[in-house]
């Protein structure tokens, strides 16, 4: 079967969507499918990773044009970013995609993402994101801790809705005492800096670095399919997360503690710290990998193309 992806693989310290593309390409080729990034003749399936045009692939409108000329071709649309972190135009694009009716099947990374764009059809499945298996390589198994308690987070986007003002406040609070130590890894928006800052890392580097900490903290809001917290769980760290984190709540509710504001965040950190062994053991029950996600994508491809 010839399958077109509207995003080509990229390598390096990028977010979870890029990592999933790489895995999907490998999985499809392993099953004997031909993967192409060109809208050439005789394509059986168009897999849309993102409806927006980009240097690594065309936009959804081109896929609709192709299907109009080739009615037998199917379209699967994997919904990642729903525009909830300040990109309302993307929300509008996705809702338009639904209204057009050209997509044969939708894949959502969370129930929250599906509901956010008000999708009510039955031609969909929620497939939660998961980390690459490399993040389990050096998983923390030591549940003891010493002061200061090391708290970590990491982001590839400088979007302010990732929670930078709260991280900055927490960093300043940590510097005024000796109970907690905050570590930030990744990109930063202009004007922000943290005491313990490290540049973006590869998956292999992160798999070694994250388990050197005790607790994973996220202040991100309205995430459609957060990957950073899943990489923290794979490292064996319990997660303290915002109650308006969107998919983060779905992903982490069994593996950590939530909070609403800064004061409650400090209390949630204290709650986890005081029972770190119990929370760490619970976090280590998380076992999903991106291989599971890709296998489910491939299963859906088979169902949609009647080759399952």
């Amino acid at each position: 079967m010839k399958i077109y992806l509207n995003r080509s693989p990229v390598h390096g310290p990028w977010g979870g969507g890029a990592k999933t593309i790489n895995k999907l390409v490998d999985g499809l080729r392993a099953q004997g499918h031909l993967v192409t990034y060109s809208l050439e003749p005789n394509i059986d399936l168009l897999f849309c990773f993102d409806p927006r045009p980009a240097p690594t692939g065309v936009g959804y409108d081109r896929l609709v044009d192709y299907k109009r000329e080739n009615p037998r071709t199917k379209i699967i649309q994997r919904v990642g970013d729903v525009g909830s972190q300040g990109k309302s135009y993307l929300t509008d694009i996705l809702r338009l995609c639904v209204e057009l009716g050209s997509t044969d099947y939708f894949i959502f990374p969370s129930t929250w993402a599906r509901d956010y764009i008000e999708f009510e059809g039955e031609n969909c499945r929620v497939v939660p994101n998961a980390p690459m298996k490399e993040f389990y390589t050096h998983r923390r198994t030591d549940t003891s801790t010493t002061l200061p308690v090391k708290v970590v987070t990491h982001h590839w986007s400088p979007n302010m809705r990732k929670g930078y003002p709260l991280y900055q406040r927490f960093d300043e609070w940590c510097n005024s005492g000796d109970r907690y130590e905050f570590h930030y890894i990744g990109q930063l928006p202009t004007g922000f800096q943290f005491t313990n800052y490290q540049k973006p890392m590869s998956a292999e580097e992160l798999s070694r670095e994250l388990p050197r900490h005790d607790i994973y903290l996220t202040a991100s809001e309205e995430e459609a399919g957060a990957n950073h917290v899943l990489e923290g769980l794979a490292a064996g760290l319990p997660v303290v997360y915002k109650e308006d984190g969107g998919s983060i709540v779905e992903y982490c509710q069994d593996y950590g503690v939530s909070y609403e504001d800064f004061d409650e965040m400090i209390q949630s950190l204290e709650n986890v710290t005081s029972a770190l062994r119990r929370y760490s053991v619970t976090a280590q029950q998380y076992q999903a990998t991106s291989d599971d996600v890709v296998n489910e994508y491939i299963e859906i491809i088979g169902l949609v193309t009647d080759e399952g």
Side-chain angles (χ1 to χ4, degrees):
M1 188 163 56
K2 184 185 287 188
I3 300 173
Y4 167 83
L5 273 63
N6 82 323
R7 290 292 184 271
S8 55
V10 295
H11 300 279
W14 301 96
K19 297 166 186 173
T20 302
I21 293 173
N22 300 344
K23 282 282 185 181
L24 179 60
V25 171
D26 292 342
L28 290 172
R29 287 176 173 163
Q31 292 201 355
H33 298 299
L34 176 63
V35 177
T36 180
Y37 312 105
S38 172
L39 287 172
E40 57 198 51
N42 302 317
I43 293 174
D44 300 291
L45 174 74
L46 305 169
F47 199 107
C48 181
F49 256 85
D50 191 313
R52 299 167 290 185
T56 54
V58 303
Y60 182 77
D61 56 336
R62 294 280 301 279
L63 307 188
V64 172
D65 290 341
Y66 186 96
K67 182 170 182 175
R68 189 176 294 119
E69 297 173 1
N70 304 271
R72 73 172 186 83
T73 302
K74 304 290 187 179
I75 296 179
I76 292 178
Q77 188 164 354
R78 179 252 189 194
V79 177
D81 190 344
V82 296
S84 53
Q85 292 189 326
K87 293 173 279 189
S88 59
Y89 70 92
L90 178 54
T91 309
D92 295 337
I93 290 173
L94 288 169
R95 288 174 178 165
L96 178 61
C97 291
V98 174
E99 293 173 9
L100 286 173
S102 297
T103 299
D104 295 278
Y105 206 87
F106 289 85
I107 300 174
F108 294 96
S110 63
T111 301
W112 184 90
R114 182 195 64 194
D115 295 344
Y116 188 86
I117 65 167
E118 301 173 342
F119 185 89
E120 298 179 348
E122 295 184 359
N123 58 324
C124 75
R125 187 186 299 184
V126 173
V127 181
N129 289 344
M132 295 189 298
K133 61 184 178 183
E134 287 83 349
F135 283 96
Y136 289 89
T137 305
H138 307 286
R139 174 175 251 196
R140 176 188 171 98
T141 56
D142 181 8
T143 56
S144 63
T145 187
T146 57
L147 294 179
V149 177
K150 292 181 173 57
V151 179
V152 67
T153 200
H154 72 295
H155 293 288
W156 307 138
S157 169
N159 188 314
M160 291 296 289
R161 299 211 64 194
K162 297 297 183 184
Y164 292 104
L166 192 147
Y167 293 143
Q168 185 174 60
R169 184 177 176 186
F170 180 57
D171 188 55
E172 294 169 353
W173 183 86
C174 289
N175 292 339
S176 67
D178 58 5
R179 182 158 176 75
Y180 290 96
E181 187 175 274
F182 179 55
H183 293 249
Y184 181 89
I185 305 167
Q187 297 192 60
L188 288 173
T190 302
F192 283 82
Q193 188 55 270
F194 299 109
T195 304
N196 298 292
Y197 167 74
Q198 291 177 280
K199 294 180 179 179
M201 299 179 181
S202 67
E204 195 280 329
E205 291 170 326
L206 266 175
S207 73
R208 293 179 180 275
E209 182 61 30
L210 291 178
R212 293 170 179 158
H213 302 80
D214 302 301
I215 300 172
Y216 194 95
L217 171 69
T218 178
S220 195
E221 302 174 349
E222 296 192 320
E223 288 267 12
N227 284 279
H228 64 297
V229 292
L230 301 179
E231 292 167 355
L233 285 174
L237 308 183
V239 181
V240 173
Y241 59 94
K242 269 199 122 179
E243 289 187 5
D244 60 352
S247 67
I248 296 175
V249 179
E250 290 182 47
Y251 290 174
C252 298
Q253 59 187 349
D254 295 329
Y255 306 105
V257 179
S258 67
Y259 65 91
E260 288 188 358
D261 53 29
F262 181 81
D263 291 338
E264 190 173 357
M265 182 194 81
I266 299 300
Q267 185 58 55
S268 294
L269 284 168
E270 287 289 347
N271 292 343
V272 173
T273 300
S274 64
L276 186 60
R277 175 180 173 79
R278 174 167 61 86
Y279 281 105
S280 296
V281 169
T282 300
Q284 289 162 17
Q285 294 174 9
Y286 179 79
Q287 298 290 338
T289 73
S290 57
D291 289 351
D292 301 320
V293 176
V294 167
N295 288 339
E296 199 159 353
Y297 284 3
I298 293 174
E299 175 189 324
I300 292 170
I301 288 171
L303 293 172
V304 172
T305 58
D306 295 324
E307 291 195 5

